[in-house]
Amino acid sequence: GSVKQFSTKTQPCEYDSSMLCAPALLNATFTTVAFVLGALTSVLSGFLGMKIATYANARTTLEAGRGVGKAFIVAFLWICYGISSRSKWAFGAL
């Protein structure tokens, strides 16, 4: 809920005075923590995604010297690996 000022005490809500709203400082703290956790998980997932993509690219390039068919198979398998590993990480199975 919203309160009129940046307070540290529970106050009646602006939209319904019969209800009490949480202190603004508490709301600000939760918002800050959620933002920082979101930023950290975004950085981590981006880092892991780039690591997997770079490694897969190098493997595909090495296999391309042996033929286009082998390079395609390696690239396809690494795409599947990247998708499955990120989804496992996202759902907490890793």
Side-chain angles (χ1 to χ4, degrees), residues 11-12 23-24 27 33-34 40 63-64 74 81 94:
Q11 297 178 2
N27 285 339
V33 169
L40 290 175
E63 287 297 323
V74 168
Y81 172 75
L94 256 180

Side-chain angles (χ1 to χ4, degrees), residues 30-66:
F30 285 140
T31 302
T32 303
V33 169
F35 180 83
V36 169
L37 284 176
L40 290 175
T41 55
S42 177
V43 167
L44 181 63
S45 65
F47 177 77
L48 290 175
M50 288 303 292
K51 283 291 257 192
I52 290 170
T54 304
Y55 188 76
N57 236 353
R59 294 277 311 244
T60 304
T61 303
L62 289 173
E63 287 297 323
R66 297 181 182 171

Side-chain angles (χ1 to χ4, degrees), residues 1-90:
S2 61
V3 292
K4 291 183 180 179
Q5 299 169 342
F6 192 73
S7 65
T8 56
K9 297 178 184 174
T10 303
Q11 297 178 2
C13 297
E14 285 184 0
Y15 59 88
D16 186 2
S17 59
S18 66
M19 296 178 60
L20 292 176
C21 287
L25 185 61
L26 183 65
N27 285 339
T29 304
F30 285 140
T31 302
T32 303
V33 169
F35 180 83
V36 169
L37 284 176
L40 290 175
T41 55
S42 177
V43 167
L44 181 63
S45 65
F47 177 77
L48 290 175
M50 288 303 292
K51 283 291 257 192
I52 290 170
T54 304
Y55 188 76
N57 236 353
R59 294 277 311 244
T60 304
T61 303
L62 289 173
E63 287 297 323
R66 297 181 182 171
V68 176
K70 289 188 178 192
F72 177 77
I73 291 171
V74 168
F76 185 75
L77 291 175
W78 274 100
I79 288 170
C80 295
Y81 172 75
I83 291 170
S84 69
S85 67
R86 277 184 257 153
S87 62
K88 285 179 187 175
W89 181 78

